[in-house]
Amino acid sequence: MESAVLRGQVRLTELSFSPSFDLNDIASVAGGTAGSAAPPGGFAQNLDFDIDVVSTNDVNLSSSKLSLQGAMKLRIRGTAAQPAVTGRVNIAGGDLMFRGNRYILEPSTVDFVDPYRIEPRLNLSVSTKVQDYDIHMLLRGTLDTIRTTYTSEPVLPPSDIINLLVFGKTTEFQAANPTPGVLGAQSMVASSVSNEL
């Protein structure tokens, strides 16, 4: 009980969501919060992890709102109280349904580089079609500091793209019918899409 190690390799051949699956529940258990640290000297502090998680081939994962295809190679270290993950998840493709729009996930990566905690770094490429516009978004950074780049065909300024995604209208149309500011909309798009992922 004072010095245990959980060691081994997990080989993923298939993944699926249960109907009640909630990623937020998993994230809160895995990452913990500042107020939920294990008591000093408890078993969770004394249980060290040395686990490799690999997918044996491309893994398909789908639910009613999300489908993903990809592969992963991760290392879980640290303790049960403070786990750390390093490695990479390669996303070959997928779909995300959000606010009635279908977003297509293009080849992307999620890297875990911090050897002391669980902090994914996103490099996601997502596209969608709103009205007659093909919209492409690049989401890069950590969940706390995500940067989003917007492009479209035909070309629109980023403010119009954000308005199209959030309100279904360009800023020219928006000017005739004012609604809340674009900055809040941009923040909502980036955080909502990354939370869904």
Side-chain angles (χ1 to χ4, degrees):
M1 294 295 285
E2 281 86 32
S3 180
V5 177
L6 179 60
R7 176 178 293 130
Q9 185 177 70
V10 177
R11 292 182 183 201
L12 300 173
T13 57
E14 185 178 323
L15 285 175
S16 62
F17 289 117
S18 69
S20 61
F21 176 80
D22 186 353
L23 185 60
N24 291 328
D25 292 343
I26 301 296
S28 65
V29 169
T33 59
S36 67
F43 182 65
Q45 294 281 352
N46 299 328
L47 175 60
D48 288 328
F49 286 151
D50 184 8
I51 303 169
D52 292 326
V53 180
V54 295
S55 59
T56 55
N57 50 19
D58 280 352
V59 176
N60 296 316
L61 186 59
S62 63
S63 74
S64 60
K65 292 184 178 181
L66 174 67
S67 72
L68 290 174
Q69 300 85 42
M72 69 178 71
K73 186 172 183 181
L74 303 172
R75 299 183 79 189
I76 302 173
R77 299 292 185 265
T79 65
Q82 292 183 308
V85 175
T86 56
R88 172 176 274 192
V89 175
N90 290 311
I91 299 170
D95 291 52
L96 169 68
M97 291 304 293
F98 176 66
R99 297 179 62 118
N101 284 340
R102 177 179 180 228
Y103 291 81
I104 298 169
L105 283 102
E106 296 165 357
S108 303
T109 59
V110 179
D111 291 304
F112 296 84
V113 296
D114 192 328
Y116 301 107
R117 59 185 175 154
I118 301 173
E119 185 178 51
R121 293 189 184 195
L122 307 176
N123 187 9
L124 301 175
S125 180
V126 181
S127 61
T128 189
K129 187 170 183 91
V130 179
Q131 296 175 9
D132 293 329
Y133 295 93
D134 293 318
I135 297 172
H136 186 76
M137 296 181 290
L138 290 175
L139 295 93
R140 293 187 175 142
T142 65
L143 295 177
D144 294 336
T145 59
I146 197 160
R147 293 180 318 270
T148 308
T149 305
Y150 302 92
T151 56
S152 71
E153 184 64 40
V155 177
L156 287 172
S159 60
D160 276 343
I161 296 171
I162 294 163
N163 270 298
L164 266 175
L165 291 171
V166 176
F167 305 115
K169 308 166 191 148
T170 62
T171 51
E172 185 178 315
F173 184 87
Q174 231 15 43
N177 304 302
T179 55
V182 172
L183 188 56
Q186 179 178 5
S187 175
M188 184 172 80
V189 170
S191 65
S192 296
V193 171
S194 65
N195 284 342
E196 285 293 326
L197 293 174

